[in-house]
Amino acid sequence: MADYVTLAKTISSLTEGETDTVALMATVACELHHSDDRFDWTGFYRVTAPELLKIGPYQGGHGCLVIPFSRGVCGAAARTGQVQLVPDVDAFPGHIACASSTRSEIVLPVRDARGDIIAVLDIDSDQPDAFTEADATALEAILTDTFAR
Ligand code: SME
C-alpha cells in the first residue's frame, strides 16, 4: 500500500501556494501514480458542464475523453457524491473499460473549498479487489487538503 503519510506531505509541499486546479491535478496524478504498483491508471475527470465530465490530467494509457454523470463508475461518483469502491469492474453495471486489463477501481469525488464537486479522481488497477476503505480515507484526505483548502 502507498505510504500515504509521506505522500500527503510530498503533495502538500509540491503544491504549496498553488491554486490552479490543472496544475494541482497534474501533480496529484503524478505523485499518486508512481507511489503504488496497484495504480495502473490515475487521473481526473473534471466537471465541465452540468452532468458532464471531461478528462483532466492523468497518468497511464489513454482514457476516454467524455463521461456523462449517467454512465460509468466516474459518473456514479459525480452523481452521488460518494466514493465508489469497485472490487470487480465486470460486476459494476455500466462500467466503462478504457483498458481491458482493468480489474478493480476506486473513484472519489473532488470538492472545492465551497464543497462543490469539481471533478472525480479515478484510479484503476489490474489487480482484482485492489482497493480498501483505508485507501479511500487516505485519498479523501489528500484531495481535501489539495483542492478544498
Ligand atoms: N472506468 C471509468 C472510466 C474512466 S477509464 O477507466 C480511465 C468509469 O467506468 O467511469
Side-chain angles (χ1 to χ4, degrees), residues 70-76 79 84 86 88-96:
S70 59
R71 293 194 60 219
V73 186
C74 293
R79 185 171 68 243
Q84 304 294 311
V86 183
D88 176 6
V89 296
D90 292 333
F92 188 95
H95 170 255
I96 301 169

Side-chain angles (χ1 to χ4, degrees), residues 41-43 45 53 55 58-59 61-68 71-77 86 89 92-99 102 104-105 107 120 122-124:
W41 195 96
T42 310
Y45 281 86
L53 295 164
I55 201 161
Y58 67 93
Q59 301 263 328
H62 66 268
C64 55
L65 299 185
V66 181
I67 301 177
R71 293 194 60 219
V73 186
C74 293
V86 183
V89 296
F92 188 95
H95 170 255
I96 301 169
C98 291
T102 300
S104 60
E105 186 165 357
V107 183
V120 298
D122 179 16
I123 306 178
D124 296 343

Side-chain angles (χ1 to χ4, degrees), residues 6-20:
T6 302
L7 200 49
K9 290 176 182 173
T10 300
I11 291 171
S12 182
S13 173
L14 288 171
T15 62
E16 185 177 1
E18 185 53 65
T19 59
D20 179 81

